[in-house]
Amino acid sequence: AQRVTQPEKLLSVFKGAPVELKCNYSYSGSPELFWYVQYSRQRLQLLLRHISRESIKGFTADLNKGETSFHLKKPFAQEEDSAMYYCALPALSGYNKLIFGAGTRLAVHP
Amino acid sequence: EAGVTQFPSHSVIEKGQTVTLRCDPISGHDNLYWYRRVMGKEIKFLLHFVKESKQDESGMPNNRFLAERTGGTYSTLKVQPAELEDSGVYFCASSRGSNIQYFGAGTRLSVL
């Protein structure tokens, strides 16, 4: 069965510290993976997708097929990074529906 | 461009009452999706419209939930009668074809 696992409900760091939000998946075939972010009282928005291999707001994520992981990283966290982060992939069946993890709340303290 | 808009942002109702959530997708997006996040759990798919037709409603929990998209523009999701376990955040998303899904801010539903 397809599944996305985000093991940490809350990640609390100080400003300037490195951040790694974990995401593991189970999937048959080559998945397309996404990170979505929701800042307080804003829309849930796409942060990055692995096929684009770009860095957004200093965040990067590398797909590791051997470890079935797609961890989100940033070398120096900023207070404005505080938000809810969700890892997701498209279901194998079902016309583009997304399968999400439970989310990780990142809290960056001054 | 304007994003996906959901209304209301928060709704508090009593068990047994009816609530209707509304989603306005991005103009020109034929695909519209509803998802739900129950407290502490993952965001789960509810259903998918292509224009006014239901393409996939495999995630709808039971027949107390009714989604419509008359005219293929905005969509409503009605819960009647609401139960305590329906509490959560309801997200709407839209996309053009099979491209990226753009989400709204969600409607937080609290059933007391």
Side-chain angles (χ1 to χ4, degrees):
Chain A
Q2 298 165 270
R3 180 174 290 177
V4 176
T5 303
Q6 293 180 252
E8 302 139 329
K9 280 189 162 51
L10 172 65
L11 186 61
S12 188
V13 302
F14 287 103
K15 177 182 172 181
V19 167
E20 181 179 70
L21 293 98
K22 292 183 167 51
C23 171
N24 288 88
Y25 65 90
S26 60
Y27 193 88
S28 299
S30 295
E32 179 179 11
L33 280 134
F34 305 90
W35 276 100
Y36 279 84
V37 60
Q38 188 173 30
Y39 302 101
S40 181
R41 288 187 286 276
Q42 293 187 27
R43 294 184 176 103
L44 181 62
Q45 56 190 274
L46 181 67
L47 181 61
L48 54 81
R49 55 196 299 201
H50 90 273
I51 61 171
S52 63
R53 300 189 64 80
E54 56 187 339
S55 172
I56 305 291
K57 299 185 179 183
F59 284 96
T60 59
D62 289 317
L63 179 62
N64 186 323
K65 291 184 180 179
E67 295 183 358
T68 59
S69 68
F70 189 56
H71 302 327
L72 184 67
K73 300 177 184 179
K74 185 169 183 177
F76 308 104
Q78 303 300 315
E79 289 180 68
E80 56 266 28
D81 295 328
S82 296
M84 196 72 186
Y85 291 79
Y86 296 94
C87 184
L89 53 72
L92 276 171
S93 61
Y95 306 97
N96 303 327
K97 70 181 178 186
L98 293 172
I99 296 173
F100 284 88
T104 298
R105 179 166 298 283
L106 174 64
V108 182
H109 304 284
Chain B
E1 60 183 3
V4 175
T5 305
Q6 293 187 245
F7 182 82
S9 57
H10 192 185
S11 179
V12 182
I13 61 172
E14 292 188 351
K15 176 183 170 181
Q17 290 185 320
T18 297
V19 63
T20 300
L21 313 181
R22 173 170 170 145
C23 169
D24 286 78
I26 293 171
S27 178
H29 282 192
D30 288 341
N31 294 276
L32 187 148
Y33 311 81
W34 284 98
Y35 293 82
R36 176 175 73 170
R37 183 175 189 250
V38 172
M39 180 71 76
K41 299 288 183 72
E42 62 272 21
I43 299 173
K44 281 194 172 178
F45 168 84
L46 296 178
L47 89 160
H48 169 205
F49 284 99
V50 176
K51 297 184 180 178
E52 67 274 11
S53 300
K54 291 176 186 173
Q55 185 72 59
D56 179 358
E57 51 184 331
S58 60
M60 293 288 264
N62 52 60
N63 59 10
R64 295 185 294 103
F65 288 75
L66 176 63
E68 294 180 322
R69 193 182 181 197
T70 307
T73 55
Y74 72 90
S75 175
T76 57
L77 180 64
K78 182 162 71 174
V79 185
Q80 180 183 29
E83 298 290 344
L84 298 178
E85 63 265 24
D86 301 332
S87 296
V89 180
Y90 290 76
F91 289 100
C92 176
S94 71
S95 72
R96 191 190 305 274
S98 59
N99 289 330
I100 292 170
Q101 293 181 31
Y102 294 87
F103 283 78
T107 293
R108 180 173 296 279
L109 175 63
S110 300
V111 182
L112 307 179

